[in-house]
Amino acid sequence: DAEEFRMFWGNSPTPNTKQFPGLNSYINAHTGQIKAIASNGAGVTMTLEGLDEAIDLNLGNPGLILTSRTGRRKLNALLQAQQRYVNLVEIAGGFKVMEYNGIPVLPCTNIPDTLNISSGGTITALTGGSTTAFFIVDTRDAFMSVLTEPTIMPLARTTSPYEEFEMF
């Protein structure tokens, strides 16, 4: 849970230059990377056209849409209202998740529905508002993984003549 939080928000509210600053900080640092469906700092009703515009902002090949559970439900409701089929896709690990335009949609518990945003669409606080976010990620540009698997090696018996290990 803490790793997922830091993936989006870094060490919010106290930044640490030695750690990953979070996807939100990278988005805010690049103008043209945000599609704000907002009016005067408040979120407005989500539309499929707005989501399509956000996907089109990605210069690469978006491989993942990350949002809150509420965001996923709103997307699902929009698709059903237009009588579009809500397709499921299997991702690595064997999970079947919803997809939109061929992009898997994953719900994340660390994207709150209480985001406070500026009139330009930048997220200014994780609480105090009534907005959620959709992170559209090109998995070739943003990749997280385990560097090496831990290995377990038996301890050497240097002070004990027994087969068991003793703590001294």
Side-chain angles (χ1 to χ4, degrees):
D1 196 42
E3 288 175 357
E4 182 181 309
F5 178 85
R6 284 180 175 52
M7 181 176 69
F8 295 108
W9 315 113
N11 286 326
S12 179
T14 310
N16 182 342
T17 57
K18 295 182 180 180
Q19 294 182 357
F20 182 66
L23 291 173
N24 185 52
S25 70
Y26 287 121
I27 293 169
N28 290 340
H30 293 84
T31 53
Q33 295 283 327
I34 298 173
K35 167 59 182 159
I37 305 175
S39 172
N40 296 328
V44 296
T45 304
M46 183 180 133
T47 64
L48 293 178
E49 292 82 13
L51 186 57
D52 288 339
E53 287 177 28
I55 291 171
D56 290 343
L57 285 176
N58 190 310
L59 300 176
N61 185 19
L64 201 55
I65 298 175
L66 303 164
T67 187
S68 67
R69 291 178 178 158
T70 300
R72 182 186 60 179
R73 281 194 303 274
K74 289 184 179 193
L75 176 58
N76 193 8
L78 283 173
L79 291 173
Q80 288 181 2
Q82 292 190 3
Q83 297 181 350
R84 289 178 58 180
Y85 181 69
V86 179
N87 195 19
L88 297 178
V89 63
E90 187 171 335
I91 60 173
F95 297 104
K96 289 189 177 185
V97 297
M98 177 181 164
E99 75 170 352
Y100 178 72
N101 283 350
I103 306 169
V105 178
L106 292 177
C108 299
T109 57
N110 283 295
I111 300 177
D113 300 319
T114 57
L115 296 174
N116 196 354
I117 59 172
S118 69
S119 57
T122 337
I123 298 170
T124 56
L126 301 181
T127 59
S130 59
T131 304
T132 192
F134 284 77
F135 287 87
I136 301 163
V137 180
D138 185 343
T139 52
R140 294 175 300 168
D141 292 336
F143 178 76
M144 298 180 86
S145 131
V146 175
L147 293 177
T148 57
E149 291 294 327
T151 57
I152 299 173
M153 297 177 63
L155 297 173
R157 291 181 307 191
T158 57
T159 59
S160 175
Y162 305 105
E163 291 294 325
E164 294 93 21
F165 295 104
E166 294 182 3
M167 299 294 242
F168 295 98

